[in-house]
Every structure is written in structure tokens, then in C-alpha cells.
Amino acid sequence: MTTPGSVAAVDLGATSGRVVVGHVDQSAGRLDLEQVARFPNGPVRLASGLHWDVTGLYRDLTHGLAEAFRLEPGISSIGVDSWAVDYGLLRGDRMLGEPFHYRDERNERAVAAVHAAVPPAELYRRNGLQFLPFNTLYQLTAERESGCLGLADTLLLVPDLIGFQLTGAKVAERTNASTTGLVGLATAEWDTELLERLGLEASLLPPLVPPGTVVGPLRPAVAAELGAPDGLDVVAVGSHDTASAVVAVPMRAESAAYISCGTWGLVGVELEAPVTSEAARAANFTNEGGVDGRVRFLHNVMGLWLLSESVRWWERDGSRIVLPELLDAAAAVDRPVTLFDANDPRFLAPGDLPGRIARWCAEYGVAAPRTRAEFARSIIESLAQAFADAVREASILSGVDVSTIHVVGGGALNELLCRRTADRAGIPVLAGPVEATAIGNVLVQARAQGFASGDLESLRALVARAFEPVRYEPRASRHGG
């Protein structure tokens, strides 16, 4: 039997963070979320490069948690999730500067050094990860070559870094650790041989813990600041935000694909065992850890970053673009628009993305969009095609016969993107829940606290009862696809 209760989820995304209070009563089929704080997040360019303002994030999230405890004094625990791969370095209890941002240019020069030590095919056999130039092992190689790594005695990924500030405990949650490239696929432990070959110290890396582990109680000073009870638990959730989001996908894993769509579009299927074939490596699919030992077999697509960064660029002159109006204009475009490669690495760094899209078009001899509406439509169509292609590849490589695509996260609100993904994939799309990451965070805590029980399918059944998805049937496609 379970009992009803409440938990607080801290969900940190690449453009914003939020604090959510989740109320769970599995016996009654109740799962309610209340957002109590939202705050911006984004890169800060310092003399040393592109960084995250983790200190500012910690200030904002603790203010949000204080509001959560004011509104709901009965909160039983706190869980933190964030984006993957980025980390802070500590010496003792002192953070050695703000963490680098994964889009910082320093990573590019480290790739060749890593591949000279360990060829890409061997890396894939060892860690099962797709090649992304910002994976933690490349970042750490850049850090080592700068001479700064020798000053540190501990590395903590961003959610674990926040957890340390809250509790004083230093751990590495497994789903996020699996994205570093430093966890062995066969052992599910830190790959000490790989670390040695890359010239990295295994002593930097804290003990691995699974989702649902109680990391520790709040430090007394933090509890007092938040207005929280002494001894309140901080629980390790699926601290990679995609791991939490996949928990909350109300799917039948044997016949569904998911797209966790926000800044990035993470497109894949859930498996019991990894796929490390040469075909999977060539397709740049990754095997990341999921909650309850599941495997997230997926491909990273550039995601709605393409649209949000284009809007940011257009707004440099002080004008304001209303996104729903831009998307309405994009939907009304009545001529075919160019599809570009949404995964081209030229679109990774911040800056003039519309200009880069136009240059891509010129390079490949196709017509560039002419208006902002056409740029937005081109981005949506290109993302929809990339999503459809990734779903097909995931199905072929994994053997999962995909009959439904679930879109969760902010992209679930983008009707044009969901509809065009269904059209281009020829498969129904079920959109929602939007706050899947926070929901997954809440559910893992709730299970640890006794407010929910059962396997992932039991938790997903609760999500399905609480959140009705929007269904998009594939149609005869306009503009090709």
C-alpha cells in the first residue's frame, strides 16, 4: 500500500529552470504538479570562454524551494535534474570557477587528442555513446591540457553539484554519469582503464548511485534558509533530464518511440540491453542509462535550439518576436521550403543561425528562405524530417516495431512540429505531457518515499491517467515528405 504525499522537483534546462511541487496519491490515481518558481538560464561569456552561471542558478532555485515550502510545508524530499555532460570542479568543498558550457569552443581541439589515444570504434564498444564533441571525456581532455584539472580533487556533474551544495554529499547519479563517456557499458562502473589511457585521474570521480537513492539530508543551514524540516531528504532522481522525461512517457516501450523535445530533440526507444553494432555507431546512436536499469537508445537532434536561437538573433535590434504569431505565419507559408540538415555541427554554437542556414543552402545549391516565416517553416520541416528519420533508424537498429511516437517536453506544445512529424514519419504522434521531466523527477522521488510503487509501467499508467495527450494522425503531406 502507498500513502499520499508531496515532493519538490528542481528541473534545470538549458534556457530556464523551474521548481515544481508534485502531489502523488497512486491509490487514488492522483498526480498533480504545481509550478512555484521559474527563472531564466543561459550561457555567460567570460574571458576564459562560455560558462554557466551555476551560482546564480543555485540562488534562484533555493528561492524557489523556499516558496515551495511556504506553500506546502509537508514536502518530504527534493530531487534535482538538469542537462547532461557539464560539470563543476571542486577542491575540498570549494568550486573552482563556474562550469564550462558544452557549446564552448574549447571542446573542438580535444577531440583529436582523445581519438589519438582511443579510436572512435573502440570508444563506442566501451561506452556505447554517439559521437558528440562536447561529451564530458572531450571536455575533461581540454581541461587537462589547460593545466587546470590538476587543481581539483572532485568532479561533480551539474545536478550532483547542486545536490552537494544542498547536502554536502558527493555522488554521481548513474543516468547522468552514463552520458560522460567514462562509464563502461559492460560493467556500469567508471572505466578506470579508459581514464588512465586519457590521462585522467579516477580519484576525481565520486561513487555512482542509482535513481531513488537518498543522497543525504539538507545541511542544517540550508534547511533553515528554505524553511524546510531538519533532516529532509535529497533524493537522486534520473538526474539527466531526458532520463526523467522518459520515465513520464506514457508509452508501451515494445511498440513506441519517444521524442523528448526542447532545446535538443532526443529521439529514441527504450530497451532492456544496449545496441553497439557498427550500424548503430555509423548512425550515431547512443546507449544511455535509464531509470531501473533501462537503456535509452537514442539520437540527438539539434532541437528547438534552431528556432529559439534564430529568434534571439532577430531580436538583437530590440524588437520582440511573439513565437505563436511566428509559428502561425510559418504554418501559413504556401510554397515548398528547403529542408536542411538539422544535425549539421555548424548550427551548434550560438550566433547568427539564420545566416548559417542561408549559407548551408548556398553551399548545397538550394533556395534559402526569404522571410522570417519561411525560416521558421524551414526549421520546423527540417526538424520534423530529422525526427522521422531518427525514429525509422531507431526502429531498424533496435528491432522495435514503432507504431506510435510520443512527443514530450516543450515541443509537445508546438502543433506545427508535432503535426509535420506525424506526416513525415507516417505514424501517429501523441503529444504530452509537456512537463515530462518534472513529472519523472517527482515519480522517482515519490516511489522512494512510499507515495508510489511498482515498475516504470506502473508509474507510466499513473501519468496516462493524469495527463491526456493530443493525438496527431499522419496526413498526405504538403510540401513533400
Side-chain angles (χ1 to χ4, degrees), residues 53-64:
D53 180 14
V54 167
T55 304
L57 273 181
Y58 183 74
R59 175 200 61 221
D60 291 341
L61 72 88
T62 52
H63 289 170

Side-chain angles (χ1 to χ4, degrees), residues 204-239:
L204 279 172
L205 302 173
L208 292 160
V209 300
T213 300
V214 175
V215 174
L218 288 175
R219 294 188 291 114
V222 174
E225 179 184 356
L226 301 183
D230 289 339
L232 185 103
D233 289 339
V234 173
V235 174
V237 296
S239 69

Side-chain angles (χ1 to χ4, degrees), residues 248-291:
V249 177
M251 65 180 176
R252 294 171 56 90
E254 68 274 12
S255 60
Y258 57 80
I259 304 174
S260 180
C261 184
T263 300
W264 287 90
L266 294 311
V267 186
V269 294
E270 184 178 77
L271 305 176
E272 296 292 339
V275 178
T276 56
S277 62
E278 180 57 25
R281 185 178 80 86
N284 217 22
F285 267 72
T286 201
N287 297 270
E288 295 175 354
V291 171

Side-chain angles (χ1 to χ4, degrees), residues 78-82 86-90 92-93 153-178 180 183 189-190 202-217 233-240:
I78 297 168
V80 182
D81 68 74
S82 87
D86 290 338
Y87 57 86
L89 295 174
L90 300 179
D93 290 347
D153 55 32
T154 307
L155 177 149
L156 293 176
L157 295 167
V158 169
D160 303 320
L161 181 62
I162 299 299
F164 163 71
Q165 299 295 349
L166 293 172
T167 67
K170 298 175 182 177
V171 300
E173 186 278 316
R174 286 185 177 275
T175 69
N176 213 10
S178 76
T180 64
V183 173
E189 301 294 338
W190 296 119
S203 60
L204 279 172
L205 302 173
L208 292 160
V209 300
T213 300
V214 175
V215 174
D233 289 339
V234 173
V235 174
V237 296
S239 69
H240 181 199

Side-chain angles (χ1 to χ4, degrees), residues 246 251-259 266-273 275 285-288 294-299 390-404 460:
V246 171
M251 65 180 176
R252 294 171 56 90
E254 68 274 12
S255 60
Y258 57 80
I259 304 174
L266 294 311
V267 186
V269 294
E270 184 178 77
L271 305 176
E272 296 292 339
V275 178
F285 267 72
T286 201
N287 297 270
E288 295 175 354
R294 307 287 177 92
V295 174
R296 293 177 287 128
F297 183 65
L298 60 87
H299 180 66
V391 167
R392 291 189 191 102
E393 285 188 302
S395 177
I396 292 167
L397 293 167
S398 69
V400 174
D401 185 11
V402 175
S403 59
T404 307
R460 287 169 179 157

Side-chain angles (χ1 to χ4, degrees), residues 7 18 38 62 71 75 110 167 175 193 230 243-244 255 281 360 364 411 431 447 461 472:
V7 299
R18 60 201 58 78
R38 191 178 185 96
T62 52
L71 294 171
I75 288 169
T167 67
T175 69
E193 181 188 342
D230 289 339
S244 277
S255 60
R281 185 178 80 86
W360 186 98
Y364 286 89
R447 192 170 62 176
Y472 297 91

Side-chain angles (χ1 to χ4, degrees), residues 354-411:
R356 291 180 209 160
I357 292 170
R359 288 191 289 276
W360 186 98
C361 293
E363 182 178 324
Y364 286 89
V366 294
R370 298 173 300 186
T371 66
R372 290 177 177 176
E374 288 184 5
F375 269 104
R377 182 61 178 266
S378 181
I379 288 169
I380 294 297
E381 296 287 347
S382 299
L383 282 177
Q385 188 63 53
F387 289 166
D389 291 344
V391 167
R392 291 189 191 102
E393 285 188 302
S395 177
I396 292 167
L397 293 167
S398 69
V400 174
D401 185 11
V402 175
S403 59
T404 307
I405 301 170
H406 289 263
V407 177
V408 298

